Amino acid sequence: MRPYLLCVFLLLVRSGWTAEPLRVVTGTTVVQDLVLQIGGDRVRSTCLLQPGGDPHGYQPVPEDVKRLAKAQLVVINGLGFEGWFEGLAKEAGYRGTVVVASATVEPLAMEESDHPAHPGHEHHTAQDPHAYNSLQGGMRYAEVIIDALAKADPAGAAEYRTRGKTYLGELRQLDAWAKKAIAAIPAGQRKIVTHHDALAYFARDYGFEIKAPGTALEDSQPSAKDIADLVTFIRAQGVKGVFLEFAKNDKIISQVADEAQVKIGAGLYLDGTGAPGTPAATYAGMFRVNVEAIVAALK
Ligand SMILES: [Zn+2]
């Protein structure tokens, strides 16, 4: 049989066998992209967050309740990223499976100050949810999602596994590319300052030192001392990698860069993918854009 005839035949078979696409709801844009890459047209996935939305401080809207009520499967990042999810699930009466994409990742701890609305400004330790900012983490997420889709839709299991294997191969290639690109940065210059503490897994796997004035909370305010310490760090270490983040308040980083008299590098996507149609619209794209920005500023 000629290849295109085989394709037509398979399409006919599939459209005859499969019912409606699996209705998936995802908690973050990274997880959403992974579900789409692996699920293809067997899934119809809706992300609760829009690109550029802040998972840490997200406030669900009434439409989210409706979306969740109709879901057959939910996939979240986990590690506390979607702290708002439990309340939303209760409100929507969702009792289906909730898959935690980061389930097989070994979590790093992060320091998180209390929300300014609560008194005290005490620090406590939480799990760092930004595991996808290392491709080692992203690959673990993809494996979990392959299994979850195969379980939720057994008729598509072979398809999810085939597509998942191809996608994992792409992420492995991207990881090899990143390691090679980063090798151009002298080890002593692998120091990065960003708005919030989101690159710990990246730092561990690619050999960087990270400083961030903000904690995971969008509206947390660093003290004057925090900022002064950061300026001292940048000057003393000759840090060239001071980066803004997309969808974050730029004022603090701009102030730090001004005081330290350093240039600001291109914006990084650390909490989720970029807008549709941009190079950072996918998880792999976002990772590549970040590495390119870091390498361009530091080498
Ligand atoms: Zn974050």
Side-chain angles (χ1 to χ4, degrees), residues 233-251:
F233 170 76
I234 292 168
R235 285 192 181 144
Q237 308 271 328
V239 176
K240 293 199 280 176
V242 179
F243 298 94
L244 299 179
E245 289 177 40
F246 283 98
K248 296 281 178 192
N249 181 349
D250 292 343
K251 269 188 288 184

Side-chain angles (χ1 to χ4, degrees), residues 96-115:
T97 306
V98 178
V99 172
V100 176
S102 62
T104 61
V105 167
E106 203 174 306
L108 295 176
M110 81 187 297
E111 208 174 70
E112 199 176 54
S113 64
D114 277 347
H115 195 278

Side-chain angles (χ1 to χ4, degrees), residues 131-298:
Y132 53 85
N133 278 332
S134 161
L135 286 173
Q136 292 305 320
M139 286 187 255
R140 299 294 85 76
Y141 283 31
E143 289 160 0
V144 166
I145 290 170
I146 294 166
D147 285 344
L149 292 179
K151 203 172 164 195
D153 172 22
E159 208 178 318
Y160 298 132
R161 295 203 187 284
T162 304
R163 227 192 324 259
K165 201 175 161 198
T166 305
Y167 184 64
L168 281 168
E170 286 169 24
L171 293 186
R172 260 191 298 275
Q173 276 183 6
L174 188 59
D175 193 43
W177 166 84
K179 284 183 177 141
K180 217 171 148 191
I182 288 164
I185 306 171
Q189 289 179 31
R190 292 184 194 172
K191 299 185 175 98
I192 293 175
V193 171
T194 58
H195 177 83
H196 88 302
D197 191 10
L199 281 170
Y201 295 89
F202 180 88
R204 179 196 64 190
D205 292 347
Y206 301 97
F208 283 81
E209 187 180 343
I210 312 290
K211 293 248 191 250
T215 65
L217 292 165
E218 171 76 348
D219 49 0
S220 65
Q221 286 297 324
S223 66
K225 185 182 176 299
D226 291 339
I227 293 183
D229 286 351
L230 207 53
V231 170
T232 305
F233 170 76
I234 292 168
R235 285 192 181 144
Q237 308 271 328
V239 176
K240 293 199 280 176
V242 179
F243 298 94
L244 299 179
E245 289 177 40
F246 283 98
K248 296 281 178 192
N249 181 349
D250 292 343
K251 269 188 288 184
I252 295 159
I253 284 294
S254 302
Q255 185 193 337
V256 165
D258 268 2
E259 284 183 29
Q261 293 177 307
V262 289
K263 273 199 293 186
I264 294 176
L268 302 180
Y269 296 88
L270 301 184
D271 273 347
T273 63
T278 65
T282 62
Y283 167 57
M286 146 193 174
F287 185 85
R288 183 181 289 274
V289 166
N290 287 343
V291 170
E292 282 172 349
I294 289 166
V295 171
L298 297 189

